Amino acid sequence: MGRTIKFIAKRLAFSVFVLVGLSILIFVIARVMPGNPARMALGARAPEWVVERLREEMHLNEPLYVQYYYWAKGALHGNFGISLVTRRSVANDIKAFFPASLELALYAGIFMGIIGIVLGTISGWYANTWVDNLVRIISYMGIVTPSFVFAIFFVLIFSYVLEILPTIGRLTPGVVPPPSVTGVITFDALITGRFDVFFDALKHLLLPAISLAMGPLSQEARITRASLVDNVQKDYIASERSCGIPERTIMFKYLLKPSLIPTITIYGLDFASILGNAFLVELIFNWPGLSRYGMNAMLQKDLNAITAVVLVLGLVFIIANIVVDLTVGYLDPRIGLGTERSSE
Amino acid sequence: MQKKSLTQEELSRRWENIRRNWYKFSRNPLSITGLVMICIILFFTIFAPFVSPYPESAGKFINFYEASQPPSLNHLCGTDAFGRDILTRIFFGCRYSLIMGVTVLLLIVPVGVVLGLIAGYHRGSWLEIVIMRITDIFIAVPPLILALAVCSVLTPSIFNAMLAISIAWWPWYTRLVYGIASSLKEEFFVKSAEVTGANKMYILFREILLNCISPILTKMSLDMGWIILIGSSLSFVGLGAQPPTPDLGSMVADGSKYLPDQWWISVFPAFAIMLIVLSFNLFGDGIRDTLGVERG
């Protein structure tokens, strides 16, 4: 237990370092942009002195490191400045939009884990049969298809042709959302016992979450299959078979656990692709989440909002990676939490 | 360690090596499929102005008489809202995708590899710490988000999209080479080169780099597909190539406005993206198996 705590402390310290570095990186990228952010915020018709005053207010006339100092001071207090486009506080916007994105990423992550591992296990168990080949073909297609293409295909099939699943927003218009406890609608609906709302929200989640999960889950399935097929040939499995242990027990008790280690190791990377692709998928499904907010900020060059969104998502990614490392450490005691994860 | 001239024997040995690898590669029907698909795509993209049915559709061209026509014998993939032939635009779009993939690789592989070599060889020194921690920072953001962010602050253009992808993608090469170089550093052949007083450049580039070639080549062939995928995502949101340049991602985006009635406008370019990425993946997997690089 002591080792785990030490590991977490170490990882957290490292994460702080990475976050500071990341904030500098994003800050520099956002500030090297040609053009005048104050002018952009105020529009072409604002008088020169107003622009100049806003520049003063935003410390844009100071050297870069002074600007960073002011920005970082604000960020530490949870103040990411004012959106240059909507003139609202970026921090409040993020609070408002984050739960929707979190919900989507969470469900996509769950789909990716469960479906990916199940498919991979089936494929590995029936290796070199038609089932295996089918799964492999499907997962190949899943990997090579960008998720915005999945999103468009799903919209086309399920909403226009079959007309069974909604493709816009989080709830059917007219459905009263449950009182906000966590901000994640499905959780709130369960907590308050509103099952009709829960199913409605779930229906809305299904297509965007699966569009996001398709690519990564195919990756997971492939990796799981490969490591299962590798492990089946190991000596310990042969010795278990010779002891007459039923195949099912061997599979679920002895084979699956070590075979899942590579799958979970790349889970972090796959989660990154979910977070990234959410920018496009939320736009297509009109999902009122942080990624759509970020995407709009990017298209309108809203610097403060871009910086904050990237930083928040970077933080989410870092936390996801810590969780992955802890899980891998739990599954494989040999890896040991003290050592760094081997590079991919 | 003087430089040897290539003798006849050496040449024939190299030839034998290539022949063996080719045999291994060609045993796998999937790898060959990938290779053949890449060749076909290359043919159609290089000779796009000659083989495409309506080359004028690639540029600024409007023909409202033939706007939004479904696939037919005249227009195999139909026409878009401006009456431009979609098949032609797909050929030209693949061109930009391939150029993007190659350019990004040319930009990032040398940088990433050299940084990885230096960091790996100097494991334990401040050089390693500086390089690898900077790498960690770049890897801390999902690549697509970083590429989007960089793209958004620059003026949208195909060149800036390449730059943005490069900024997001180089650390993976540094990591890859760093891992190998830092373990090779302790090997006897490196030690013996050190003892005999070989110069550092020689050790880095002749001794260590040559042993990293297989994983680098494998990663490059697989990354071609990923880069094209990310590039199409950028242009899908309008941060890549600008109209009227034909680009697969932006063609899908344009077409999505006309769903479901004029499905062909976005569906065919989407298939084209999948086909390119698929062929590079098949090819890359084949290279990996041939060169015996571990999966992952």
Side-chain angles (χ1 to χ4, degrees):
Chain A
M1 205 56 207
R3 247 180 64 215
T4 315
I5 291 171
K6 209 171 146 194
F7 167 78
I8 295 178
K10 221 170 158 183
R11 277 304 301 259
L12 282 180
F14 181 63
S15 309
V16 171
F17 159 78
V18 169
L19 266 184
V20 172
L22 185 58
S23 69
I24 295 176
L25 175 70
I26 301 298
F27 190 82
V28 170
I29 290 175
R31 288 298 189 273
V32 295
M33 181 185 76
N36 182 348
R39 168 60 72 191
M40 253 185 236
L42 294 170
R45 296 170 60 183
E48 196 53 49
W49 64 273
V50 181
V51 175
E52 200 44 47
R53 214 174 70 186
L54 186 65
R55 278 187 74 85
E56 282 293 320
E57 252 176 57
M58 292 169 65
H59 308 288
L60 284 175
N61 294 331
E62 318 260 359
L64 206 56
Y65 61 90
V66 180
Q67 288 184 38
Y68 178 76
Y69 166 75
Y70 282 114
W71 177 83
K73 206 167 111 184
L76 281 178
H77 291 92
N79 174 14
F80 290 104
I82 304 281
S83 157
L84 299 183
V85 176
T86 61
R87 316 291 300 151
R88 283 196 305 259
S89 148
V90 172
N92 286 343
D93 279 351
I94 287 185
K95 260 182 232 149
F97 288 112
F98 185 63
S101 273
L102 183 70
E103 184 172 34
L104 189 57
L106 215 61
Y107 279 86
I110 292 172
F111 287 146
M112 151 176 122
I114 295 178
I115 304 177
I117 290 173
V118 168
L119 280 183
T121 312
I122 294 174
S123 187
W125 190 237
Y126 296 105
N128 302 320
T129 62
W130 67 270
V131 183
D132 178 34
N133 290 334
L134 186 71
V135 172
R136 287 168 79 182
I137 291 171
I138 294 174
S139 53
Y140 232 127
M141 293 325 285
I143 289 176
V144 303
T145 311
S147 52
F148 67 86
V149 168
F150 272 122
I152 284 178
F153 282 179
F154 286 159
V155 169
L156 189 61
I157 295 169
F158 288 99
S159 156
Y160 292 123
V161 181
L162 300 176
E163 298 185 7
I164 44 176
L165 284 172
T167 51
I168 288 177
R170 298 173 81 187
L171 283 175
T172 310
V175 173
V176 185
S180 178
V181 185
T182 54
V184 177
I185 289 187
T186 45
F187 292 177
D188 288 348
L190 282 183
I191 292 170
T192 50
R194 300 269 306 276
F195 291 104
D196 54 325
V197 179
F198 174 76
F199 285 114
D200 190 58
L202 207 58
K203 256 163 86 182
H204 280 80
L205 262 168
L206 214 53
L207 290 183
I210 296 217
S211 322
L212 281 178
M214 275 308 277
L217 81 81
S218 310
Q219 192 91 14
E220 302 265 298
R222 272 168 64 93
I223 301 263
T224 310
R225 178 195 182 273
S227 82
L228 259 178
V229 171
D230 264 4
N231 281 336
V232 165
Q233 292 161 358
K234 293 228 167 108
D235 288 344
Y236 79 99
I237 297 294
S239 88
E240 277 159 10
R241 282 202 175 125
S242 66
C243 289
I245 298 175
E247 287 287 307
R248 234 165 245 277
T249 320
I250 293 179
M251 176 77 196
F252 290 107
K253 199 165 170 193
Y254 302 111
L255 197 52
L256 207 51
K257 196 172 142 186
S259 302
L260 286 185
I261 292 167
T263 316
I264 293 174
T265 313
I266 65 149
Y267 199 93
L269 274 180
D270 284 337
F271 198 69
S273 96
I274 288 187
L275 290 178
N277 281 315
F279 275 68
L280 281 69
V281 170
E282 285 191 3
L283 211 62
I284 295 170
F285 286 98
N286 209 1
W287 188 262
L290 188 60
S291 310
R292 194 189 62 166
Y293 173 75
M295 196 66 245
N296 286 329
M298 285 175 180
L299 294 176
Q300 293 166 327
K301 304 208 170 199
D302 186 347
L303 294 185
N304 285 343
I306 296 176
T307 322
V309 168
V310 174
L311 210 57
V312 168
L313 291 177
L315 182 65
V316 172
F317 182 42
I318 289 171
I319 294 172
N321 270 327
I322 294 181
V323 174
V324 165
D325 283 357
L326 283 174
T327 320
V328 172
Y330 163 77
L331 280 179
D332 189 354
R334 282 173 312 177
I335 290 177
L337 294 172
T339 52
E340 221 173 279
R341 190 150 53 97
S342 63
S343 58
E344 279 74 14
Chain B
M1 292 281 158
Q2 76 273 31
K3 205 172 170 190
K4 284 179 225 145
S5 58
L6 289 179
T7 56
Q8 197 62 36
E9 193 186 346
E10 178 110 350
L11 267 177
S12 68
R13 217 191 57 208
R14 286 191 180 183
W15 177 241
E16 177 65 25
N17 211 359
I18 292 174
R19 224 172 50 90
R20 251 186 225 162
N21 278 336
W22 168 251
Y23 177 77
K24 236 171 158 185
F25 184 84
S26 61
R27 286 291 87 187
N28 187 343
L30 285 179
S31 325
I32 290 294
T33 315
L35 184 63
V36 170
M37 279 162 70
I38 291 178
C39 291
I40 294 174
I41 293 170
L42 275 180
F43 173 79
F44 278 109
T45 47
I46 291 174
F47 298 106
F50 310 107
V51 293
S52 52
Y54 301 90
E56 67 278 6
S57 291
K60 287 179 188 151
F61 174 77
I62 291 178
N63 177 4
F64 285 120
Y65 292 110
E66 296 205 324
S68 307
Q69 288 192 354
S72 64
L73 281 179
N74 280 338
H75 299 278
L76 284 177
C77 296
T79 60
D80 65 8
F82 296 103
R84 296 176 296 196
D85 181 59
I86 292 188
L87 186 64
T88 304
R89 289 179 67 75
I90 288 178
F91 286 162
F92 281 90
C94 290
R95 227 181 192 190
Y96 287 101
S97 294
L98 292 181
I99 291 174
M100 174 176 260
V102 172
T103 316
V104 170
L105 284 178
L106 284 179
L107 280 174
I108 61 174
V109 172
V111 177
V113 166
V114 168
L115 285 176
L117 275 177
I118 295 173
Y121 186 67
H122 296 92
R123 199 173 62 189
S125 83
W126 61 270
L127 260 174
E128 179 227 357
I129 296 174
V130 171
I131 294 176
M132 292 321 289
R133 291 303 83 86
I134 291 178
T135 313
D136 284 334
I137 291 168
F138 277 84
I139 286 180
V141 216
L144 183 56
I145 298 184
L146 189 56
L148 281 169
V150 174
C151 240
S152 68
V153 298
L154 302 169
T155 332
S157 74
I158 192 161
F159 177 75
N160 284 338
M162 292 181 203
L163 194 71
I165 299 174
S166 308
I167 289 176
W169 212 267
W170 68 268
W172 296 105
Y173 283 88
T174 308
R175 264 222 178 166
L176 176 77
V177 175
Y178 167 77
I180 308 168
S182 62
S183 65
L184 283 181
K185 172 186 186 281
E186 307 298 332
E187 294 283 332
F188 276 122
F189 66 89
V190 175
K191 289 280 172 226
S192 80
E194 274 171 4
V195 180
T196 48
N199 118 9
K200 202 182 246 173
M201 282 299 180
Y202 180 88
I203 297 177
L204 282 183
F205 290 97
R206 286 301 295 269
E207 302 281 2
I208 297 181
L209 181 61
L210 279 187
N211 282 290
C212 306
I213 290 289
S214 303
I216 294 175
L217 278 182
T218 306
K219 187 163 173 56
M220 280 170 71
S221 54
L222 286 168
D223 273 359
M224 216 24 217
W226 300 137
I227 291 166
I228 290 171
L229 230 147
I230 289 206
S232 69
S233 304
L234 290 180
S235 55
F236 179 80
V237 289
L239 292 174
Q242 295 300 303
T245 311
D247 181 285
L248 298 175
S250 53
M251 284 165 77
V252 177
D254 290 340
S256 66
K257 288 178 231 149
Y258 303 102
L259 286 174
D261 301 323
Q262 296 159 27
W263 52 270
W264 57 89
I265 302 180
S266 56
V267 166
F268 287 117
F271 279 142
I273 298 175
M274 289 161 65
L275 209 66
I276 298 185
V277 182
L278 177 68
S279 39
F280 278 103
N281 263 302
L282 290 174
F283 177 70
D285 278 349
I287 295 267
R288 174 172 56 200
D289 294 342
T290 307
L291 297 179
V293 178
E294 289 231 350
R295 173 179 289 278

